Amino acid sequence: MATQEISITVNGTTHTSEVEPRLLLVHFIRENLGLTGTHIGCDTTHCGACTVMLDGTAVKSCTVFSVQANGKEITTIEGMTKNGELHPLQAGFMEKHGLQCGFCTPGMIMSSHALLQKNPHPSEEEIRWGISGNLCRCTGYVNIVKAVQYAADNL
Amino acid sequence: MSELRTSAEIGGMGHSVKRKEDPRFIRGKGTYVDDIIRPGMLYMDIVRSPYAHAKIKSINSEKALAHPGVAAVITGETLKEYNLHWMPTLMSDTQMVLPTDEVMYQAQEVAAVIATSRYAAADGVELVEVDYEPLPVLVDPFKALEPGAPVLRHDKEGQKDNLIWHWEAGDRDATAKAFESADVTIKQDIYIPRITVASIETCGIVAEFDSVEGQLTCWMTSQAPHAHRTVFAMVAGHVGLSEEKIRIISPDLGGGFGGKVPIYPGYVIAIAATVVTGAPIKWIEDRRENMQADSFGRDYHMTAELAADKDGTMKALRIKTIADHGYTDAATQPSKWPAGLFSICTGSYPFENAFVEVDGVYTNKPPGGIAYRCSFRVTEAVHAIERLVDILADEIDMDPAELRLKNFIPKEAFPYKSVLGWEYDSGDYAGALNLAMKRIGYADLLKEQKEKRAKGELMGIGISSFTEVVGAGNSRDFDILGLKMFDSAEIRVHPTGKVICRIGVQTQGQGHETTFGQIVAEELGIPIADIKVEHGDTDTAPYGLGTYASRSTPVAGAATAVASRKIRDKARKIAAYLLEVGEDDLEWEPGKFFVKGVPDKFKTIQDVAFAAYTNFPEGMEAGLEAVSYYDPPNMTYPFGSYICVVDVDGKTGEVKVRRFMAVDDCGNIINPMIVEGQIHGGLTMGLAPALFEEISYDEEGNIRGGSFMDYLMPTAMETPKWETDKTTTPSPHHPLGAKGVGESATVGAPAAIVNAVVDALSHLGVRHLEIPMTPERVWQAIRSATQAGNGS
Ligand code: FES
Ligand code: FES
């Protein structure tokens, strides 16, 4: 299959690669770049485990082709810790026991990040709505909501 | 346990220690199976049957093999050369790995394509040509049992019908007599539909065979790595894969809930493929495969009956069940209990007579029968009994709480032997229900309900007072393929007082690295920060049966306590030697031995650890370590009372869970934060089948919906703000007085929610609702009740 050159900036580093046009962004991030914090739970845009920030908006990277991200900036979970400092959301998930198996967690953190950027002081209902595109099978969400509230208070 | 014996810094039992596994997860640095990459690795994808039952006339791999990147196509014929096309199931039935002539359920594995990338493998799957001849399909277990129904398992010698087994417990005749003489009898059909655990991480494996050493390494999604290794060795020993040549590493798991206990054909094909191709093979199933072909939970068709006196005293219980096990019995439960622990169906009540029977049936559906976060079949048991109690309350016009309080096994009666033969260790059922009623304001809710009814609004209050049985098992009663269900811990204290603790169970999110560390901290007074817990690698962890059925704390937790105590015994000898006193002159408090009456004459556990390698009594072996393979004397019996308040929209049938109060008792608690988290998660997994989740099939055996598009998992929007509380009734036989909690909430919640919704509609004449209580189902119930003229 013909390939196409793309150049994507991920967590501040620009990567140029030749990819098949059909390569999904999530596979590009996980396999081409080896950033395995972004997970795959469904590949149908339902679970949110693959959520990353694309030019400042949260997207589900299982339904974006990597060529669509050409020339754009991406933040993944690995880009949330800056200079060894946890992002308040990361601290919040740990502090409030917002995770169990941890598989949904990177996607949850990225969706919550998008939420807090738009709405720094969300109500509980707004948090629940904000993460409603992310499924968690372990936690029952109560503590995830608390984790996001913790982050909002500490941002 | 009210008093903490250790400081927060030590972090023993009762402390809400922050989880040691979290730092890697919140940074995206966990290692799940799909994160494993090996040099030269190839990818596997699977061709699956579109038919639920068909003959395979031919498989043509030519076009697939010609596709760029495709390295091999593996079929049943390939595996047959090695006699690996069939495998035993965990219930001693047989299961195809890949078929040679017939498929038995939709999405069954038919062939596998091995290629240089995921995409090339998927391309190859499209190009494999399979010629099928459809055969008649049996999806209804009742029809499958009818005389003259086609025999599905004609491969099994002597199999003359579709009955897998008949199992029963209790006294049939005495129960029948009790029913004949009872004042009140009630009878209800209840169906608990087929559902799937749908952990967010699907199943997968990276299999790598080193042909020089003859060594197979598998990174796989396994809740029971040791048991899986043994099964692999039993299946493939004849081709040289003996047990010591197999290493299974179960790294971080993205949830399990029972779904990662079975051995799926995909694992076995990947292992065959690495041996055949000589390259490491990765197979990660996608969500559709996970939902369509992995083991299911439940699928119990029950007819449940209860007999009582007019005053509400419960007398006898009888349940007959048809269990749909799909095309092969690949259930994951102890071999001696084909219906699992369904015999806990007498629940929290002292029945004098009970009889329960189950028929397992073959149909054209995926194989299995896993627990979906419960102890084998306890959810079905709780659902049946707690529904019956409510129906009885309705029948004799008594408040359901009052009826329960009147009947509960009293707390003085423990240990209590149930009529079906289980010995309940300890309990205080009234304590839990009274607390739940107080916390939720039961009396006020009843008042509110009355007012709402007068206005035509639908509000319901539902109770479920469940008793669970967890901690499989004891070696008398519990085994998997003959492997006794003990569990293990191996603890080493190093010279500087740092600890490595290896356990035979495997976490899937329960936080074992933290709680097992806390057990050691509690027993030895060594700070949790100095304790590393490892699991999931068969080369390093002691043999254990794995994590499911809430068995980690009851069994491996006990092993960890016992191994710690063995270490303490040796440490005492060393401390006595160092302090030049007799062993009996020493007093222990977590972290140090001191001379009785002379508190400043002491040796810390760290002093002793150093001495164990540098300065120990003559004749003693060096080192400070111990192993325990713990065989529990009995199961543990956590319990609880849940109260659910719902509002039902009479126009749409939509159910809103307004409040949910969960009071749990799991004995002494190791980490309250983790226990609460487990309860939240369990409640959500109990809510899901009550309101949303179901796997159903059409007449042709086509799955209705097999993705998250149509399999409805609760999001944060549908999930209530769970309220929790606890009572503490320690288990008398567990070394820590702990009981296990991981699945209690999943087991207890559905009945509370159904009872609440039925209560909301009971004045219209509705007596029972099947789950999932979708808006349509509820609306239909309201409509038929009002059309029947029962409208208020
Ligand atoms: S993997 Fe992308 S939404 Fe589920
Ligand atoms: S923590 Fe396991 S799926 Fe969310």
Side-chain angles (χ1 to χ4, degrees):
Chain A
M1 197 172 276
T3 57
Q4 195 172 322
E5 189 182 277
I6 55 167
S7 171
I8 305 180
T9 304
V10 180
N11 303 329
T13 309
T14 304
H15 302 266
T16 305
S17 338
E18 283 286 331
V19 300
E20 280 187 34
R22 63 176 173 172
L23 180 70
L24 295 172
L25 181 59
V26 69
H27 289 139
F28 175 77
I29 293 170
R30 287 181 49 81
E31 290 171 13
N32 297 37
L33 305 185
L35 296 171
T36 55
T38 303
H39 296 147
I40 302 171
C42 70
D43 49 44
T44 51
T45 330
H46 287 92
C47 76
C50 64
T51 308
V52 300
M53 300 285 284
L54 177 70
D55 275 354
T57 319
V59 298
K60 291 177 175 173
S61 60
C62 70
T63 20
V64 176
F65 292 117
S66 48
V67 291
Q68 292 175 286
N70 188 18
K72 301 199 167 149
E73 294 223 9
I74 284 173
T75 309
T76 69
I77 186 70
E78 289 90 347
M80 292 295 278
T81 304
K82 297 249 161 62
N83 309 322
E85 279 264 313
L86 290 180
H87 186 276
L89 272 164
Q90 292 174 306
F93 271 74
M94 182 153 171
E95 220 33 61
K96 298 295 173 191
H97 189 32
L99 67 153
Q100 289 180 22
C101 76
F103 198 79
C104 72
T105 310
M108 281 287 180
I109 289 179
M110 299 317 291
S111 290
S112 311
H113 185 44
L115 169 73
L116 293 183
Q117 288 201 336
K118 266 191 263 150
N119 179 359
H121 301 291
S123 66
E124 169 165 357
E125 279 320 294
E126 288 168 333
I127 295 173
R128 284 181 177 263
W129 180 244
I131 58 167
S132 64
N134 293 64
L135 294 173
C136 175
R137 196 55 151 170
C138 302
T139 64
Y141 305 106
V142 172
N143 289 347
I144 293 181
V145 172
K146 287 188 193 151
V148 180
Q149 279 162 339
Y150 172 98
D153 293 344
N154 286 281
L155 260 172
Chain B
M1 200 174 59
S2 47
E3 272 167 52
L4 299 173
R5 293 173 66 240
T6 57
S7 66
E9 206 163 289
I10 300 291
M13 276 176 75
H15 292 283
S16 286
V17 174
K18 297 276 178 286
R19 297 201 328 166
K20 295 181 74 141
E21 36 276 271
D22 288 355
R24 65 176 184 273
F25 294 149
I26 54 171
R27 289 178 175 85
K29 297 284 185 200
T31 306
Y32 302 90
V33 174
D34 196 17
D35 302 343
I36 304 285
I37 291 177
R38 303 295 300 163
M41 189 171 80
L42 300 177
Y43 294 79
M44 182 173 107
D45 203 346
I46 293 178
V47 179
R48 292 178 182 273
S49 169
Y51 297 102
H53 195 193
K55 253 197 174 25
I56 295 180
K57 294 191 353 207
S58 65
I59 300 177
N60 185 342
S61 316
E62 259 170 54
K63 283 187 192 152
L65 284 168
H67 187 74
V70 172
V73 175
I74 294 181
T75 64
E77 295 297 334
T78 327
L79 296 182
K80 199 173 171 185
E81 280 174 43
Y82 305 93
N83 196 25
L84 287 174
H85 55 312
W86 284 84
M87 63 179 183
T89 71
L90 295 178
M91 285 300 278
S92 306
D93 204 338
T94 48
Q95 175 172 8
M96 292 176 223
V97 179
L98 284 174
T100 48
D101 43 33
E102 189 177 4
V103 290
M104 299 295 284
Y105 58 94
Q106 189 181 53
Q108 184 178 339
E109 299 78 356
V110 171
V113 177
I114 315 294
T116 48
S117 74
R118 261 175 226 273
Y119 290 68
D123 290 342
V125 163
E126 296 296 315
L127 294 170
V128 174
E129 294 168 329
V130 187
D131 193 5
Y132 298 96
E133 180 186 313
L135 294 169
V137 174
L138 268 179
V139 283
D140 179 341
F142 292 92
K143 285 194 184 143
L145 283 180
E146 277 170 12
V151 179
L152 291 177
R153 293 298 302 275
H154 52 77
D155 59 291
K156 290 184 80 167
E157 223 174 292
Q159 183 76 37
K160 296 208 168 50
D161 51 26
N162 294 312
L163 181 72
I164 310 174
W165 38 254
H166 172 85
W167 170 89
E168 57 183 52
D171 188 330
R172 187 193 293 262
D173 295 337
T175 305
K177 251 194 223 124
F179 268 85
E180 277 158 30
S181 61
D183 298 341
V184 190
T185 61
I186 53 168
K187 184 172 186 173
Q188 182 64 52
D189 287 336
I190 301 172
Y191 175 50
I192 313 266
R194 192 173 265 246
I195 50 176
T196 180
V197 299
S199 49
I200 303 298
E201 180 203 37
T202 58
C203 293
I205 184 171
V206 174
E208 180 169 18
F209 183 64
D210 173 343
S211 59
V212 177
E213 300 291 335
Q215 166 79 35
L216 173 72
T217 306
C218 302
W219 291 262
M220 65 183 262
T221 46
S222 169
Q223 289 181 238
H226 278 100
H228 287 167
R229 182 184 60 170
T230 302
V231 175
F232 287 164
M234 281 156 64
V235 177
H238 64 284
V239 292
L241 282 177
S242 55
E243 198 158 0
E244 82 287 7
K245 299 274 193 197
I246 303 174
R247 178 180 186 187
I248 292 183
I249 303 169
S250 191
D252 291 324
L253 292 186
F257 314 114
K260 290 167 181 168
V261 185
I263 296 180
Y264 297 116
Y267 297 141
V268 182
I269 308 167
I271 292 169
T274 182
V275 176
V276 171
T277 62
I281 304 287
K282 177 183 279 190
W283 169 65
I284 305 290
E285 63 181 11
D286 65 25
R287 179 56 58 189
R288 199 166 280 274
E289 295 178 291
N290 171 273
M291 294 201 144
Q292 293 181 344
D294 283 8
S295 283
F296 61 89
R298 322 280 192 253
D299 220 346
Y300 256 32
H301 299 261
M302 301 186 274
T303 301
E305 298 172 88
L306 193 150
D309 285 345
K310 286 196 281 299
D311 69 355
T313 306
M314 297 177 205
K315 290 291 197 191
L317 180 74
R318 182 163 58 195
I319 305 179
K320 182 170 174 54
T321 292
I322 303 295
D324 184 343
H325 277 237
Y327 121 83
T328 178
D329 190 17
T332 52
Q333 54 195 11
S335 319
K336 293 193 184 77
W337 308 103
L341 301 179
F342 190 53
S343 40
I344 186 82
C345 58
T346 51
S348 313
Y349 314 100
F351 285 98
E352 289 159 9
N353 288 291
F355 179 68
V356 49
E357 59 185 323
V358 184
D359 285 335
V361 186
Y362 289 127
T363 58
N364 287 119
K365 292 188 196 139
I370 52 164
Y372 183 100
R373 200 172 189 167
C374 94
S375 207
F376 310 119
R377 291 291 179 180
V378 183
T379 311
E380 290 91 327
V382 165
H383 200 106
I385 182 67
E386 289 305 293
R387 272 293 28 243
L388 285 177
V389 171
D390 261 40
I391 295 171
L392 175 65
D394 189 52
E395 187 82 15
I396 61 170
D397 203 13
M398 191 169 178
D399 179 83
E402 196 187 320
L403 179 61
R404 284 178 172 84
L405 290 166
K406 176 187 172 73
N407 279 283
F408 282 147
I409 299 162
K411 75 173 180 203
E412 308 73 46
F414 292 91
Y416 173 83
K417 186 105 171 200
S418 83
V419 67
L420 292 173
W422 298 95
E423 191 177 295
Y424 296 16
D425 58 352
S426 62
D428 177 6
Y429 304 147
L433 180 54
N434 282 322
L435 179 60
M437 288 166 73
K438 193 169 129 209
R439 285 286 317 268
I440 204 155
Y442 190 71
D444 291 343
L445 285 169
L446 289 177
K447 242 187 267 153
E448 184 191 345
Q449 185 185 37
K450 228 186 190 160
E451 291 160 15
K452 286 215 157 144
R453 268 193 192 162
K455 287 190 273 177
E457 289 171 32
L458 302 173
M459 166 191 165
I461 309 159
I463 303 174
S464 160
S465 288
F466 65 93
T467 296
E468 252 223 292
V469 50
V470 307
N474 55 68
S475 59
R476 292 185 307 282
D477 291 331
F478 292 92
D479 70 88
I480 283 187
L481 283 183
L483 300 170
K484 306 278 193 193
M485 294 180 75
F486 56 81
D487 230 292
S488 59
E490 180 191 293
I491 301 173
R492 295 184 191 159
V493 185
H494 299 306
T496 57
K498 313 289 174 187
V499 177
I500 186 150
C501 170
R502 290 177 167 144
I503 49 179
V505 291
Q506 158 66 19
T507 188
Q508 314 122 40
Q510 296 93 335
H512 289 176
E513 288 162 47
T514 311
T515 41
F516 283 81
Q518 286 183 262
I519 296 173
V520 178
E522 173 78 10
E523 294 296 326
L524 295 179
I526 294 174
I528 175 102
D530 292 348
I531 301 164
K532 184 173 178 201
V533 175
E534 285 186 359
H535 45 202
D537 182 340
T538 55
D539 264 13
T540 53
Y543 202 106
L545 273 290
T547 296
Y548 39 88
S550 275
R551 62 187 303 281
S552 287
T553 297
V555 195
T560 307
V562 170
S564 302
R565 288 172 194 179
K566 288 184 189 173
I567 286 176
R568 207 161 74 202
D569 288 346
K570 183 171 181 185
R572 176 182 289 271
K573 290 193 169 65
I574 298 173
Y577 168 75
L578 296 175
L579 290 164
E580 297 176 351
V581 294
E583 274 181 64
D584 295 341
D585 299 324
L586 289 179
E587 201 90 60
W588 165 257
E589 71 175 46
K592 67 180 179 192
F593 292 99
F594 60 90
V595 179
K596 273 182 196 159
V598 198
D600 52 0
K601 227 180 144 204
F602 65 86
K603 289 289 169 192
T604 65
I605 186 79
Q606 289 81 3
D607 298 334
V608 172
F610 200 67
Y613 298 84
T614 57
N615 176 24
F616 44 89
E618 223 176 277
M620 180 184 269
E621 279 185 34
L624 196 55
E625 54 187 76
V627 181
S628 165
Y629 284 84
Y630 186 81
D631 183 5
N634 188 9
M635 309 286 280
T636 56
Y637 292 77
F639 58 92
S641 271
Y642 294 169
I643 303 183
C644 173
V645 184
V646 298
D647 295 308
V648 177
D649 185 329
K651 293 196 184 68
T652 63
E654 197 185 340
V655 173
K656 184 161 172 34
V657 176
R658 192 203 319 165
R659 285 189 67 193
F660 196 105
M661 182 72 226
V663 173
D664 274 275
D665 192 321
C666 58
N668 290 336
I669 287 176
I670 299 164
N671 184 320
M673 174 190 84
I674 288 179
V675 165
E676 193 194 39
Q678 288 285 305
I679 291 167
H680 288 169
L683 289 170
T684 310
M685 280 187 96
L687 172 85
L691 295 180
F692 312 109
E693 291 178 13
E694 175 176 26
I695 286 189
S696 68
Y697 295 84
D698 70 12
E699 288 281 293
E700 297 301 312
N702 298 307
I703 189 167
R704 290 198 180 98
S707 75
F708 282 153
M709 202 121 52
D710 18 44
Y711 191 78
L712 301 178
M713 299 246 290
T715 73
M717 293 304 288
E718 291 81 37
T719 306
K721 295 160 202 172
W722 304 117
E723 299 167 64
T724 59
D725 206 337
K726 64 167 194 294
T727 56
T728 305
T729 311
S731 168
H733 63 76
H734 188 279
L736 301 167
K739 288 191 169 186
V741 73
E743 60 200 34
S744 288
T746 312
V747 166
I753 301 170
V754 181
N755 285 344
V757 180
V758 172
D759 182 53
L761 312 182
S762 61
H763 59 295
L764 307 175
V766 173
R767 181 170 110 143
H768 177 69
L769 282 168
E770 296 286 26
I771 57 171
M773 295 176 294
T774 56
E776 195 203 339
R777 192 167 265 163
V778 174
W779 180 78
Q780 290 287 7
I782 296 170
R783 202 175 69 139
S784 21
T786 39
Q787 278 178 353
N790 292 319
S792 55

